Amino acid sequence: MDSLSLDINLPELTGSPKQVDWAVTERAKLIRLALGRLASPASRVAHLQAHPEERALFLRVLGDVVSSHTDARYWIDLRGDVLTMLQEMRPGLTAGLTALQAEVGT
């Protein structure tokens, strides 16, 4: 659980070369912050170890959100705001958790 990673091919960003360089750095920081939210606190780690399907859901939704933004300006404007990124993930997480619960109920 210590080595969480987001196994996706990140899309190329659009914008000026300076914007793209800055945005790539900011995007990487936000991904690390979001993964850090997944990995802590200890009680959440224990839960996710017991429920790997929820961990996989979080990683998939995070990957979907990250991949959907190719404008460098988005990442520059968002810099450091992991809560906004997590808020953007909420619909996908809610739908995914509902589907997981339905599977368990059947």
Side-chain angles (χ1 to χ4, degrees):
M1 205 57 193
D2 294 333
S3 60
L4 291 173
S5 65
L6 189 60
D7 188 23
I8 61 169
N9 291 319
L10 296 174
E12 296 284 327
L13 298 177
T14 59
S16 73
K18 186 175 180 177
Q19 286 176 320
V20 169
D21 287 345
W22 186 11
V24 165
T25 300
E26 293 303 325
R27 179 175 63 181
K29 286 180 191 175
L30 274 172
I31 290 170
R32 282 192 303 274
L33 286 170
L35 291 173
R37 291 288 179 124
L38 177 62
S40 64
S43 62
R44 192 175 308 140
V45 171
H47 176 83
L48 291 170
Q49 287 173 334
H51 302 280
E53 65 282 353
E54 289 180 21
R55 178 177 176 260
L57 171 65
F58 183 94
L59 293 173
R60 181 182 53 77
V61 171
L62 177 59
D64 290 348
V65 168
V66 168
S67 294
S68 70
H69 297 288
T70 59
D71 182 13
R73 169 67 78 201
Y74 173 84
W75 297 103
I76 293 167
D77 289 345
L78 195 64
R79 66 184 172 272
D81 188 358
V82 71
L83 294 178
T84 296
M85 178 184 273
L86 293 171
Q87 189 69 20
E88 190 171 338
M89 292 172 60
R90 178 173 278 187
L93 291 172
T94 300
L97 288 172
T98 299
L100 287 174
Q101 289 171 348
E103 288 175 18
V104 171
T106 58

